[in-house]
Amino acid sequence: MSKPPENAPISFFLNGSPLSLSVAPGRRVVDLLREDLPLTGTKEGCGTGECGACTLLVDGLPMLSCLMLAAQLEGRNIETVESLEKDPVGEKLITSFEEKGAVQCGYCIPGMEMTALALLRKHPEADREDIRKGLSGNLCRCTGYVKILDAVEDTAKNLTAPKEMP
């Protein structure tokens, strides 16, 4: 009978804080976050990389945590939806999603917001078509996308709008 593989140590930054832990070789990131840490904002919708609900940012890029092994986090900077309120763009996204009524069941929203955050950091002047393309890997079964697009577009406008003089 063969011995099961040993856990491997990994170190990375999670939402701005250093973290070191030991993980099983086949442990998925979504399971590590939700079950071990426990950061339950990241959702698992499909488990096959089709829906985008599990999106988080790895070194600023949107990645699907259901398709990543925890060992792939080694040395990386990971941002989950729990970090949004600490980020100026993330704060604006949260507010716009609330004000525009973009949240219904809420299951897809963490992935939508993280994908939108990456898009707006890279392309703050994104227009509606840019946003539509940028969010195309994220599925929503409730909203029909209009209010989600409205929320991200509103955030982009607030990022690029000239500031009023006092």
Side-chain angles (χ1 to χ4, degrees):
M1 193 182 233
S2 66
K3 183 178 172 185
E6 303 230 357
N7 286 356
I10 59 170
S11 296
F12 57 97
F13 286 88
L14 179 62
N15 297 331
S17 298
L19 183 63
S20 294
L21 45 92
S22 185
V23 297
R27 190 78 169 146
R28 296 180 313 156
V29 172
V30 67
D31 300 322
L32 175 75
L33 293 172
R34 293 185 58 78
E35 297 170 11
D36 301 346
L37 293 179
L39 295 171
T40 58
T42 301
K43 308 297 184 209
E44 181 175 8
C46 67
T48 60
E50 297 292 326
C51 73
C54 68
T55 302
L56 48 74
L57 302 186
V58 178
D59 296 332
L61 299 174
M63 303 290 282
L64 301 171
S65 63
C66 74
L67 298 181
M68 290 185 70
L69 295 178
Q72 293 176 283
L73 301 179
E74 176 63 37
R76 312 299 283 276
N77 182 30
I78 310 308
E79 295 171 84
T80 68
V81 70
E82 287 86 358
S83 71
L84 275 180
E85 62 191 20
K86 300 176 193 172
D87 183 279
V89 178
E91 282 183 317
K92 288 178 171 65
L93 275 168
I94 291 169
T95 300
S96 291
F97 269 72
E98 290 171 0
E99 289 176 354
K100 299 296 179 183
V103 179
Q104 286 190 20
C105 84
Y107 206 80
C108 70
I109 297 305
M112 291 279 186
E113 288 178 330
M114 296 309 290
T115 302
L117 178 63
L119 171 69
L120 294 176
R121 282 179 177 168
K122 183 177 180 180
H123 191 30
E125 67 287 344
D127 63 20
R128 196 166 186 93
E129 187 57 29
D130 296 326
I131 295 164
R132 185 184 322 275
K133 287 177 186 172
L135 295 179
S136 65
N138 295 76
L139 301 179
C140 175
R141 301 189 194 302
C142 301
T143 66
Y145 301 99
V146 172
K147 291 181 179 184
I148 292 170
L149 293 171
D150 290 346
V152 179
E153 186 175 41
D154 181 65
T155 303
K157 287 178 182 173
N158 285 327
L159 293 175
T160 58
K163 308 294 181 234
E164 291 184 23
M165 299 297 289

